[in-house]
């Protein structure tokens, strides 16, 4: 199906696709304009292997306007499982799960009619998004299973690795009462948002077995259904919904926002339910009709086609409304087109409080794709075309600080290649000077980071560059580099982001791609968090400084920082506040040298907020004037008295 043929299909603008149960009836609607017949098959269970399995009837849908097939059945069918059979003029029949299904049975094999009021945790009506000012935002990324799977996490066994693992308060390491873990730990860390690796239903973990495998989840199956392996019961579709919402509510009660990692760039199966419902419509194709593979996972979705765009916008809105999600991280965002991203932004902005819902993504592709009709990829070069509140991960900052991700041994500014200082200088005002091949409109568009789930953990990367083999072993030199890396991106303008556990030197023992597990290599090691408590406290201090001094973020329309003139590879700057003609109240220094260095201070008397080892929002230590001695491999932050 080419662009012209796709555009000739009718567009349906209604917001009622899917199965909508009401008190007396349930309405089913499916967009399938090329079909010649559609029936809905109802079942008692999500698979035939379960007790009580059996058919609950087959009903023929009728054709309505705009390519929609519909039927109204008596009764509230909450808890009924269903499939569509879609018939085509050439005699083929496809059995599909409803792309708009709100829940599903085990392994997503059948959709489930869901009455949302019957899948709400206690006090769900009272759940509200925490109010977090833009300058105080910082993101901590984690996978649901990794968060609480550690047997020493203090989380009750049946909740470990599940959505519910986020809901248990006051957990400590081995219940020793001294070292907080999981939610209890996050409350005190100082980050504002938790970004969850995929929580929608993905394909490769067998939900029916406790040892059904491990995956990061970038293999989407049912976009509007929570993943079943994270539920305490994957067989009853309302449980995963209720428990996913309970997780969000618990994080909200702790004052934390919840960001969802979404993967609208591809379908896991080339014969996905979308593709089988309207063959040829959903995926991008080359002229020879093979599907494009810009995702590296096969089967790119054609976001620029009208009903694909609508599906993505509808899905994001559904999660925002139904699960009170506070932000969306778009996997391989450059496979989405600019207009789709801006349409999502506009739709979120129209929700109550929706302007505060974050949007950012990876501004790259994993291979080549084929956007039609002049659609523009949402990459860094499109920063000026995207809404200024759609951000992107800044690989320029990431690689400048600690070395590139494609060569394990390549160093950055903090660990041996001080020439990267030029890029670090540009990172400070969030690349707003256009020194690279992109031009951000605002600091908030730039996600500043050195580690994420992809590639080495920061600690393992530092080990690789230093050629020090024992990944778990502490190392004073590398701890200094770790502190310096954090000190840099947490004093740069933009949105700071970190892989969960970066703050306790998380190691995956030199494995740079653990997407298929094992869990033992991926899970957060809460014993290590206790052992590296000083590093955690340092991060906490930096995060508190970030909250207390809004000018660091540049989010309030602040000017670019004033760069100080310093010798060699030292960098120093004074953040300036919006509209203020007075000199700034902070001074920040980066010393990448392995020796102590003297640097001139701006006029005034200064005290430490960060001396390279300790960080706090309240000044400490002696008063300094004229000049200061900087620790080797360190970030120093001073406040004027
Ligand atoms: Ca699944």
């Amino acid at each position: 199906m080419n662009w012209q043929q796709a555009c000739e299909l009718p567009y349906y603008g209604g917001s009622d696709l899917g199965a909508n149960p009401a008190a007396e009836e349930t309405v089913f609607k499916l967009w399938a304009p090329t079909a010649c017949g559609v029936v809905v098959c109802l079942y008692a269970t999500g698979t035939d292997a379960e007790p009580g399995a059996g058919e609950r009837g087959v009903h023929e849908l009728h054709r309505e306007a705009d390519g929609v097939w519909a039927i109204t059945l008596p009764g509230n069918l909450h808890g009924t499982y269903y499939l569509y059979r879609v018939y085509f003029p050439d005699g083929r029949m496809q059995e599909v799960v409803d792309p708009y299904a709100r829940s599903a049975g085990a392994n997503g094999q059948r959709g489930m009619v869901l009455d949302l009021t019957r899948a709400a945790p206690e006090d769900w009506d009272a759940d509200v998004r925490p109010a977090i000012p833009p300058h105080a935002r910082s993101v901590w990324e984690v996978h649901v299973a990794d968060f609480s799977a550690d047997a020493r996490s203090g989380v009750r066994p049946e909740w470990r690795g599940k959505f519910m693992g986020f809901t248990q308060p006051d957990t400590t390491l081995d219940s020793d009462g001294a070292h907080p873990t999981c939610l209890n730990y996050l409350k005190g860390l100082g980050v504002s948002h938790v970004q969850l690796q995929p929580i929608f239903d993905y394909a490769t973990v067998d939900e029916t077995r406790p040892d059904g495998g491990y995956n990061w989840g970038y293999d989407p199956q049912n976009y509007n259904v929570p993943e079943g392996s994270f539920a305490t019961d994957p067989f009853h579709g309302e449980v995963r919904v209720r428990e996913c919402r309970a997780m969000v509510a618990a994080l909200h009660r702790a004052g934390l926002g919840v960001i969802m990692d979404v993967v609208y760039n591809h379908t896991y199966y080339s014969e996905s339910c979308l593709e089988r419902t309207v063959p040829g419509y959903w995926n991008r194709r080359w002229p020879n009709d093979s599907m494009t593979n810009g995702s590296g996972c096969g089967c790119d979705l054609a976001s620029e086609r009208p009903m694909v765009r609508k599906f993505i916008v509808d899905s994001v809105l559904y999660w925002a409304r139904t699960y009170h999600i506070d932000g969306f991280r778009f996997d391989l965002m450059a496979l989405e087109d600019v207009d789709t991203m801006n349409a999502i932004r506009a739709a979120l902005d129209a929700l109550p409080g929706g302007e505060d819902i974050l949007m950012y993504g990876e501004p790259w592709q994993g291979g080549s794709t084929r956007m039609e009709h002049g659609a523009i990829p949402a990459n860094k070069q499109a920063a000026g075309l995207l809404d200024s509140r759609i951000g992107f991960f800044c690989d320029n900052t990431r690689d400048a600080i600690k070395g590139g991700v494609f060569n394990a041994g390549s160093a950055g500014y903090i660990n041996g290649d001080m020439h990267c200082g030029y890029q670090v200088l540009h990172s400070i005002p969030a690349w707003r000077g256009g020194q690279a091949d992109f031009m951000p409109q605002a600091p908030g568009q730039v996600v500043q980071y050195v580690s994420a789930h992809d590639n080495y953990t920061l600690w393992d990367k530092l080990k690789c560059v230093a050629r020090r083999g024992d990944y778990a072993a502490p190392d004073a030199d590398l701890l200094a580099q770790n502190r310096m890396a954090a000190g840099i991106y947490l004093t740069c303008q933009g949105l700071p982001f970190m892989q969960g556990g970066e703050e306790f030197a998380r190691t995956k023992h030199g494995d740079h791609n653990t997407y298929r597990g094992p869990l033992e290599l991926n899970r957060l090691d809460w014993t290590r968090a206790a052992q590296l408590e000083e590093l955690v406290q340092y991060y906490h201090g930096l995060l508190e400084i970030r909250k207390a001094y809004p000018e660091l973020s540049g989010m309030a329309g602040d000017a670019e920082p004033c760069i100080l003139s310093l010798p060699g590879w030292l960098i120093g700057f004074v953040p300036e506040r919006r509209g203020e003609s007075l000199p700034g109240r902070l001074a920040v220094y980066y010393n990448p040298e392995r020796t102590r260095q003297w640097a001139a201070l701006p006029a005034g008397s200064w005290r430490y907020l960060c001396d390279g080892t300790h960080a706090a929002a309240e000044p400490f230590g002696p008063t300094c004037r004229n000049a200061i001695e900087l620790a080797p491999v360190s970030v120093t932050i001073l406040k004027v008295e």
Side-chain angles (χ1 to χ4, degrees):
M1 191 182 294
N2 62 31
W3 173 258
Q4 191 60 38
Q5 292 163 328
C7 287
E8 282 165 8
L9 295 182
Y11 178 82
Y12 179 67
S15 56
D16 56 353
L17 291 174
N20 287 288
E24 305 282 324
E25 60 186 33
T26 300
V27 182
F28 294 83
K29 284 196 178 183
L30 178 72
W31 186 73
T34 59
C36 60
V38 177
V39 300
V40 61
C41 310
L42 307 180
Y43 304 91
T45 55
T47 63
D48 283 333
E50 293 161 53
E55 276 211 18
R56 290 263 181 91
V58 176
H59 304 273
E60 200 167 331
L61 281 70
H62 57 269
R63 191 192 282 274
E64 292 194 338
D66 302 331
V68 171
W69 297 80
I71 189 172
T72 301
L73 295 174
N76 182 322
L77 296 179
H78 171 79
T80 301
Y81 295 84
Y82 69 110
L83 286 172
Y84 289 119
R85 288 188 191 134
V86 185
Y87 296 87
F88 296 95
D90 64 3
R92 281 182 305 153
M93 185 277 284
Q94 297 282 4
E95 206 168 60
V96 299
V97 177
D98 183 357
Y100 277 78
R102 294 171 175 177
S103 197
N107 286 331
Q109 297 299 301
R110 290 172 183 162
M112 190 194 89
V113 179
L114 181 76
D115 182 338
L116 287 164
T117 62
R118 291 160 76 172
E122 213 175 316
D123 292 334
W124 180 245
D125 289 343
D127 179 67
V128 287
R129 294 193 177 92
I132 299 162
H135 78 266
R137 290 172 184 157
S138 55
V139 183
W140 190 86
E141 180 195 34
V142 77
H143 181 278
V144 170
D146 295 354
F147 186 65
S148 60
D150 186 348
R152 301 186 66 192
S153 67
V155 169
R156 64 175 78 166
E158 65 272 26
W159 285 359
R160 286 182 203 149
K162 309 288 185 192
F163 292 133
M164 293 303 284
F166 284 81
T167 67
Q168 190 173 333
D170 306 326
T171 52
T172 56
L173 184 69
D174 284 341
S175 308
D176 69 355
H179 297 97
T181 60
C182 297
L183 184 69
N184 195 21
Y185 168 90
L186 277 183
K187 278 193 292 195
L189 180 57
V191 294
S192 69
H193 287 74
V194 173
Q195 179 188 301
L196 300 167
Q197 283 187 260
I199 58 170
F200 55 77
D201 181 26
Y202 52 82
T204 47
V205 171
D206 184 352
E207 300 175 4
T208 64
R209 295 187 294 122
D211 58 347
Y214 177 95
N215 204 284
W216 281 348
Y218 298 89
D219 49 338
Q221 183 168 352
N222 291 299
Y223 288 91
N224 300 307
V225 175
E227 163 60 16
S229 65
F230 296 148
T232 58
D233 173 357
F235 297 98
H236 297 91
E238 71 282 5
V239 177
R240 58 179 75 190
V241 176
R242 185 184 302 122
E243 293 182 348
C244 184
R245 290 165 129 187
M247 167 182 70
V248 173
L251 287 162
H252 283 172
R253 280 195 300 274
L256 295 157
V258 179
I259 296 170
M260 181 175 170
D261 193 337
V262 287
V263 186
Y264 297 113
N265 59 69
H266 75 283
T267 53
Y268 180 66
Y269 298 110
S270 57
E271 288 282 293
S272 71
C273 289
L274 291 163
E275 180 66 15
R276 284 187 286 132
T277 303
V278 192
Y281 184 79
W282 288 88
N283 295 99
R284 291 196 186 116
R285 285 176 161 79
W286 298 112
N288 71 4
D289 217 35
S290 64
M291 286 185 189
T292 65
N293 185 17
S295 63
C297 312
C299 326
D300 305 339
L301 275 175
S303 62
E304 66 276 23
R305 293 190 171 187
M307 286 302 288
V308 184
R309 177 175 297 158
K310 173 184 163 55
F311 178 75
I312 296 171
V313 172
D314 284 350
S315 180
V316 171
L317 276 185
Y318 176 74
W319 284 99
R321 282 192 181 122
T322 310
Y323 292 86
H324 304 172
I325 298 292
D326 305 86
F328 295 89
R329 176 266 188 202
F330 292 82
D331 189 60
L332 301 181
M333 184 173 72
L335 285 173
E336 316 297 344
D337 65 290
V338 164
D339 288 347
T340 295
M341 295 308 299
N342 285 338
I344 297 168
R345 183 70 269 174
L348 288 175
D349 286 350
L351 297 177
E355 291 183 355
D356 292 326
I357 296 176
L358 294 178
M359 281 180 68
Y360 55 86
E362 293 181 309
W364 49 75
Q365 306 178 347
S368 54
T369 194
R370 179 173 176 252
M371 284 194 190
E372 297 165 302
H373 205 62
I376 299 167
N379 55 24
K380 280 191 291 190
Q381 287 70 41
L385 301 172
L386 289 164
D387 187 288
S388 64
R389 286 173 300 115
I390 298 174
F392 47 82
F393 285 90
C394 188
D395 48 337
N396 308 67
T397 298
R398 177 193 72 192
D399 294 351
I401 293 176
K402 49 79 177 157
V405 298
F406 297 115
N407 178 352
S410 76
Y413 179 64
I414 62 164
N415 52 350
D417 186 358
M418 286 183 250
H419 290 84
C420 293
Y422 291 115
Q423 280 75 46
V424 171
L425 266 178
H426 303 323
S427 305
I428 295 164
W431 298 89
R432 280 191 285 158
Q435 298 91 346
D437 57 348
F438 61 100
M439 180 67 95
Q441 300 176 62
Q445 261 188 321
V446 178
V447 178
Q448 304 277 30
Y449 75 119
V450 293
S451 74
H453 64 270
D454 278 323
N455 309 310
Y456 293 105
T457 68
L458 173 62
W459 181 254
D460 287 354
K461 169 68 179 174
L462 298 177
K463 284 270 183 179
C464 286
V465 174
R467 299 180 188 279
R468 293 179 191 178
D470 181 356
Y471 285 95
D475 182 309
D477 294 341
L478 302 192
L479 280 169
Q481 292 176 6
N482 188 328
R483 289 194 301 269
M484 186 173 182
I488 293 175
Y489 75 82
L490 283 166
T491 51
C492 284
Q493 295 188 343
L495 174 65
F497 171 101
M498 70 181 82
Q499 181 186 31
E502 181 194 297
E503 74 281 11
F504 51 81
R506 180 174 178 181
T507 179
K508 291 195 258 177
H509 301 278
D511 192 333
H512 66 96
N513 188 1
T514 57
Y515 79 103
R516 286 190 296 191
L519 177 60
E520 292 66 34
L521 202 52
N522 281 285
R523 60 145 178 68
L524 293 185
D525 177 354
W526 291 108
T527 307
R528 191 166 175 86
Q531 285 164 346
L532 285 137
E533 203 176 0
E534 280 182 22
L535 186 58
V536 175
Q537 283 308 315
Y538 170 81
Y539 271 81
H540 172 71
L542 288 176
L543 290 161
E544 292 302 308
I545 293 168
R546 184 112 185 152
K547 284 190 248 184
Y549 302 93
E551 60 266 41
L552 284 167
S553 77
M555 295 276 195
D558 306 285
E560 293 194 7
C562 174
I563 303 294
L564 304 172
S565 178
L566 297 175
W569 293 107
L570 299 184
I571 291 175
F573 62 94
V574 174
E576 304 221 348
R577 282 189 279 178
R578 180 185 192 172
E580 283 203 4
S581 54
L582 298 169
R585 57 181 170 167
L586 299 182
V588 182
Y589 293 87
Y590 304 159
N591 174 21
E593 304 279 358
R594 293 182 182 198
T595 52
R596 303 186 76 84
Q597 299 286 320
W598 281 96
L601 279 168
S605 31
W606 300 81
R607 292 183 74 208
Y608 287 106
L609 297 179
C610 176
D611 64 4
T613 310
H614 302 284
E618 287 299 316
F620 63 88
T623 300
C624 317
R625 289 186 192 85
N626 302 320
I628 187 162
E629 195 176 24
L630 306 172
V633 189
S634 72
V635 166
T636 301
I637 308 172
L638 300 153
K639 180 177 181 249
V640 76
E641 288 201 300

